[in-house]
Amino acid sequence: MLKRAFFTLYVVVVLVILLAGWGLDRLYQKEANSHSVSELERALILELARQVPAIPVAQQATFLQQKLQRLSLQGRVYRRDDLAESALAEELFAGEALLLTAEGGRQLYALLPDTDWVVRVFLPQPNDSRWYGIYLALFYLLLALVIFLWVWPLVRDLRSLEEQARAFGRAGATGRRMALGARSQVYQVSLEFNRMQSRIDELLASYKEMTYAVSHELRTPLARMKFALELAQASEDEEVVARQLASLRCDVNDMDSLINQLLGYAGFEAQTQQLVMHPEPATALVDLIQDLCARIGQSHPRLEFAVDNKLAATEVVCEWPLMERVLQNLLSNAARYADKKINVELYFSDAYYTVAVEDDGPGVAPEDRARVFATFTRLKQVPEKDTKGFGLGLAIVKRVMNWHGGEVVATDPQRLKGARFECRWPLSERQGGGRLSDP
């Protein structure tokens, strides 16, 4: 941003100096050349013309030269035939006295009436300091005006940014965003500031949700543990004590699972977006999915998994550890709600890799498809199954796909009756014709 601002200001100043200097110089030269022959200069011409006829022709040139010297004037005398034909010569021969501006002064050309002599007299430059001062003042005023017109929008936008930062510092994440034009010198700064505000809004919302979730999720098992301890302490029956200890063990496991989930999500919140993208054959992605299906199937033996690969021999570019976490969360989520079947599809769609996971469970209502990716969101459609999660899996999937420049969406099912989640991320720039070049 600073380089762009410096470059544009430099270009503006240079152009103003060149164009304004050239234009005002032309005006000044035009003004200087626009002086007409004065009465004194005309009287000089007439006096010379009056005295010449009394001098012999052979001595007229010498007489005129000496006359100019006695008048302390520098000049030369030419015959009419010595001048080349030109537009100025035609004006001169028509009886017009010409006053031309040259370096060091002015030159007066005049054809003496009723003679063949042309006199060129060097006259001192008149004092045009008044016009020179006016044009110089105009030059600096124009330069100052252009710089002001360039600097004022920058100062205005920086002041807006300062006010926004001050308001944000006082009130926190207010939801207000900078709205500057794309031609503003601080447009990129405003975009980064808005991204920072959005990120802080997101972190604060996540913090509030996490605080609520922790307090809510821990309250129930802690209450059960307290009740179980009191029962175990009050009872002398070993069977009752063993049952309460088993209940305590389950509650401890639930709390440990929640803490692990929270730590995992916090790790994703703190992780940077500098991904290590690596190409692998599509078969590697298929193998990864099949391995995850096999592992999840051990805990859900009732389920049948099917993988439909339409990527052929194409290579897939992504950060594989993060993509494994995405697939694991999607498959685990599907396994929690599916009745019997889970289908996984891999294909290309509009220059995007797409992985779709579909189950035959209760599905996701259209009005809930957007908020299902929010942190700590559980739809409570199947209460006995919703208690097994904490609402963080799909939020992690969404964050990872955003890092990949893609998205995850919940869509209408195509083969089964349940939920369908599609993950899309763009093909690598190295990709050509649907196939990645060799790394």
Side-chain angles (χ1 to χ4, degrees):
M1 190 277 292
L2 293 178
K3 290 183 178 179
R4 175 190 170 192
F6 171 78
F7 178 76
T8 54
L9 177 60
Y10 178 80
V11 171
V12 167
V13 171
V14 169
L15 289 178
V16 169
I17 291 176
L18 293 177
L19 297 178
W22 176 81
L24 292 175
D25 181 69
R26 292 293 300 270
L27 288 175
Y28 177 74
Q29 294 296 335
K30 182 178 180 181
E31 181 63 29
N33 291 331
S34 65
H35 294 294
S36 60
V37 179
S38 66
E39 294 297 327
L40 180 61
E41 293 161 349
R42 291 184 183 277
L44 172 63
I45 296 171
L46 294 176
E47 178 63 21
L48 292 176
R50 185 183 63 81
Q51 296 181 16
V52 166
I55 306 300
V57 175
Q59 300 176 7
Q60 288 180 353
T62 304
F63 169 78
L64 291 173
Q65 197 72 44
Q66 293 175 350
K67 188 69 173 178
L68 293 176
Q69 291 178 357
R70 284 195 296 270
L71 293 174
S72 300
L73 296 175
Q74 296 181 0
R76 292 189 62 182
V77 179
Y78 302 91
R79 284 190 176 274
R80 177 173 179 166
D81 297 337
D82 293 338
L83 300 181
E85 294 184 2
S86 65
L88 292 177
E90 292 181 1
E91 293 185 25
L92 191 62
F93 297 154
E96 284 289 334
L98 302 179
L99 187 60
L100 304 179
T101 300
E103 185 176 357
R106 299 178 301 162
Q107 298 181 16
L108 174 64
Y109 289 82
L111 175 64
L112 300 181
D114 302 325
T115 70
D116 291 331
W117 300 106
V118 176
V119 178
R120 182 179 70 172
V121 181
F122 293 95
L123 301 175
Q125 184 74 25
N127 185 10
D128 288 335
S129 58
R130 177 174 59 88
W131 286 106
Y132 179 80
I134 291 175
Y135 285 125
L136 188 63
L138 285 176
F139 172 77
Y140 285 118
L141 286 175
L142 182 60
L143 182 61
L145 176 62
V146 172
I147 293 178
F148 172 80
L149 293 177
W150 186 92
V151 172
W152 170 246
L154 177 63
V155 174
R156 178 197 60 202
D157 294 340
L158 287 175
R159 185 179 294 114
S160 300
L161 188 61
E162 178 186 6
E163 293 175 356
Q164 176 69 3
R166 186 181 296 111
F168 184 73
R170 288 197 304 264
T174 60
R176 177 188 172 191
R177 296 292 181 266
M178 294 288 298
L180 300 180
R183 300 179 63 182
S184 172
Q185 297 291 345
V186 295
Y187 177 67
Q188 291 298 327
V189 176
S190 69
L191 292 182
E192 294 301 326
F193 189 85
N194 289 340
R195 291 191 188 99
M196 180 195 70
Q197 282 192 267
S198 299
R199 180 61 176 157
I200 293 176
D201 284 343
E202 185 179 348
L203 289 174
L204 289 176
S206 177
Y207 171 77
K208 292 178 181 179
E209 291 174 353
M210 188 175 297
T211 303
Y212 170 79
V214 170
S215 61
H216 177 74
E217 297 292 344
L218 293 182
R219 183 183 292 112
T220 300
L222 283 174
R224 290 199 304 262
M225 291 171 67
K226 181 178 179 181
F227 181 70
L229 285 173
E230 290 178 354
L231 287 179
Q233 187 176 7
S235 176
E236 297 181 355
D237 189 342
E238 294 183 359
E239 183 178 352
V240 172
V241 172
R243 187 168 59 250
Q244 298 304 322
L245 290 177
S247 176
L248 281 172
R249 191 175 296 108
C250 291
D251 290 333
V252 169
N253 290 335
D254 288 344
M255 295 173 64
D256 183 65
S257 177
L258 172 61
I259 292 173
N260 288 335
Q261 290 257 13
L262 291 174
L263 290 176
Y265 184 75
F268 275 92
E269 286 288 319
Q271 183 170 342
T272 63
Q273 299 182 22
Q274 298 298 324
L275 303 183
V276 180
M277 308 293 282
H278 185 67
E280 291 287 348
T283 54
L285 182 60
V286 176
D287 293 340
L288 175 61
I289 293 174
Q290 290 177 342
D291 181 64
L292 291 173
C293 291
R295 281 188 277 170
I296 294 174
Q298 293 178 357
S299 303
H300 302 81
R302 74 184 190 283
L303 297 179
E304 175 185 346
F305 295 88
V307 180
D308 183 11
N309 177 26
K310 297 179 182 178
L311 296 180
T314 306
E315 290 181 324
V316 178
V317 181
C318 63
E319 180 164 319
W320 288 88
L322 291 180
M323 193 56 61
E324 180 179 0
R325 182 65 179 270
V326 166
L327 295 172
Q328 181 178 355
N329 288 0
L330 288 177
L331 290 171
S332 298
N333 187 74
R336 183 180 304 141
Y337 296 98
D339 291 333
K340 296 181 179 179
K341 294 182 179 181
I342 295 177
N343 286 343
V344 182
E345 300 176 50
L346 295 83
Y347 58 92
F348 283 125
S349 176
D350 299 328
Y352 279 76
Y353 301 109
T354 301
V355 177
V357 178
E358 185 174 347
D359 62 67
D360 61 350
V364 180
E367 61 272 16
D368 294 329
R369 289 175 182 174
R371 71 184 187 91
V372 75
F373 298 102
T375 53
F376 307 107
T377 297
R378 290 180 292 183
L379 300 182
K380 303 297 184 182
Q381 291 178 314
V382 185
E384 66 275 10
K385 295 182 179 181
D386 288 324
T387 57
K388 298 180 181 179
F390 300 101
L392 295 174
L394 292 179
I396 292 175
V397 171
K398 179 180 179 181
R399 184 168 300 281
V400 173
M401 296 315 300
N402 288 340
W403 289 345
H404 279 76
E407 62 176 353
V408 58
V409 294
T411 63
D412 295 328
Q414 296 184 7
R415 298 185 180 182
L416 305 177
K417 65 177 182 179
R420 179 182 176 90
F421 293 92
E422 295 183 358
C423 292
R424 310 186 187 101
W425 70 99
L427 277 67
S428 169
E429 293 182 358
R430 299 165 57 198
Q431 190 96 1
R435 182 172 176 79
L436 190 68
S437 59
D438 294 334

